[in-house]
Amino acid sequence: MNIAYERYKELLCRLADVQYSIAILNWDLETYMPPKGAESRAQQISTLSGIAHNLSTSEELGDLLFKLESDTSLDEIQQKNIYHSLKSYRLNKKYSQAFVEELSRAISEAFQAWQKAKETNNFSLYAPKLEKLVRLKREECTIIGFTGHPYDALLDQYEPGALTADLSILFADVRSQLVAFVKQIAAQPQNEDGFMFLHYDKQKQWDFGLELLTQMGYDFEAGRQDISSHPFTTNFGPKDVRVTTRIAEDNLNEMIWSCIHEGGHALYEQGLPYSEYGLPSGEYISLGIHESQSRLWENNVGRNLPYWKHNLARLKEFFPEPLKNVQPEAFFKAINKVRPSLIRTNADELTYHFHILIRFEIEKALIEGSIEVKDLPALWNSKYKEYLGLDVPSDSQGVLQDIHWSHGSFGYFPTYSLGSFYAAQFYNKAVQEIPTLELEIEKGNMKPLLNWLREHIHRHGKRYTAEELCQHICGEKLNFKYFMNYAQKKYGELYKLEKIVKKA
Ligand code: CO
């Protein structure tokens, strides 16, 4: 037995215990906490965060990691664990106490200002706070260090190894290929989706959502679903993975897509190896890979015809009246309506990526200093005109719509698009390897797909980087052509774009 490695595991378990406790407090805050609990809750979370920070930067942990770094008796997975832990240890050590406190103050001020600014449609309330935050974020890039673009330093926190240069090439493809494709769709007659917005009883929606989760393979003995205003997934280890959903009685889309999306995230967490609790080998790879799991279920599976050939019949048992004359093909059309819109979170699965493209271009320019915060509203509006053909009527529906920047989350948005692109590539491979996959989905049998995801992705934890994982599964790295092929095939049929399908 390697005593140093065993001690390292103990220290990491202890850190995980504290971090998952913070996660429980946050879960409660978003679901059940009464409003007056907010103040003491903030204090409890801050105390535990301080303890987590001390554990993650302790001298004992550092000494062990430096010792284990050159221990050749460790196996491949153990070596990877030490590599990842050392990387986060070094990173945590780079931040001074003063900087952490200043950043945390700037974030809470920016967040409050953003809420007011959005409510009152007044960007100028937010601008000075955001300016300060952007200045600190630029400083953070220098603290972390980078070799190419400063934005690399921020990207790496969400998508380890992702480079601004590579993403610029990827998003240039999005711009050149997807913009033209969406224009062709826009020229076609629009599909009917009015029946999605009739009255759908809340409790019945809830019951149907639980059935969808069960069908996917979500383990209710190792999780639960609750209601929150913004759906999310959180976990306290692989045996307690919770999802939330929201339900609108006049819009069936809300519940269906949040259930399947969060269910996809949750299956990834439930599939991580429990024996590796607290270790990198028991954690997800990156936000892009995490998002690939939610989007694969949501879009490649859920927004596809085989899924509804099975599930529509059951949905109609819950809602016979509003869905009386709706056939699976009509339902399939209704849930795949492509139409440029102002709000990212309501976007369809194609125009969604323009929203991310715009944020990527803006973030990159902000962090490198080629634009300033005061330029944001005008720049935002001109990009929405250029890529989506839309006039932005107010900053609340424009540059102020997302919470991310007020949280200091720069470098996060690109992982949403990466998720969809990885999902298309993985799903393509799964169908290739399991030719009966969609026939099984049509029977309501999701097991072959879940087993495939478990085998190729979930069980590995952080053993591979995102790029290595993709290489390992698909024999090549991330390639945008799989998403475009998927889009052209599906929407070519849905909108009868025969010429495009033949060319592709
Ligand atoms: Co997600």
Side-chain angles (χ1 to χ4, degrees), residues 406-441:
S406 79
H407 274 176
S409 301
F410 291 85
Y412 192 114
F413 283 117
T415 67
Y416 291 130
S417 284
L418 288 174
S420 292
F421 304 157
Y422 276 124
Q425 197 164 343
F426 293 157
Y427 189 74
N428 175 73
K429 192 68 190 177
V431 172
Q432 237 175 50
E433 290 188 359
I434 314 169
T436 55
L437 188 81
E438 294 194 335
L439 284 172
E440 293 302 324
I441 292 175

Side-chain angles (χ1 to χ4, degrees), residues 242-289:
R242 309 204 182 176
V243 290
T244 68
T245 190
R246 67 175 162 212
I247 301 176
E249 293 205 304
D250 58 356
N251 184 354
L252 193 51
N253 289 294
E254 295 269 352
M255 183 284 297
I256 289 178
W257 308 118
S258 68
C259 258
I260 303 178
H261 182 97
E262 301 309 328
H265 278 304
L267 288 174
Y268 186 14
E269 294 286 349
Q270 288 186 336
L272 289 168
Y274 184 63
S275 59
E276 308 296 300
Y277 176 90
L279 298 171
S281 46
E283 285 167 11
Y284 69 92
I285 295 174
S286 69
L287 286 185
I289 297 299

Side-chain angles (χ1 to χ4, degrees), residues 123 131 134-135 138 362 365-366 368-377 379:
F123 183 76
E131 263 163 34
V134 167
R135 185 177 55 71
R138 288 174 183 159
I362 290 178
L366 257 186
E368 72 190 14
S370 59
I371 59 165
E372 293 300 330
V373 166
K374 66 173 168 45
D375 307 322
L376 283 181
L379 189 61

Side-chain angles (χ1 to χ4, degrees), residues 71 79 105 163 227 277 359 418 444 459:
D71 188 336
Q79 285 181 23
R105 246 194 326 273
L163 297 174
I227 297 277
Y277 176 90
R359 285 153 181 79
L418 288 174
R459 73 185 172 101

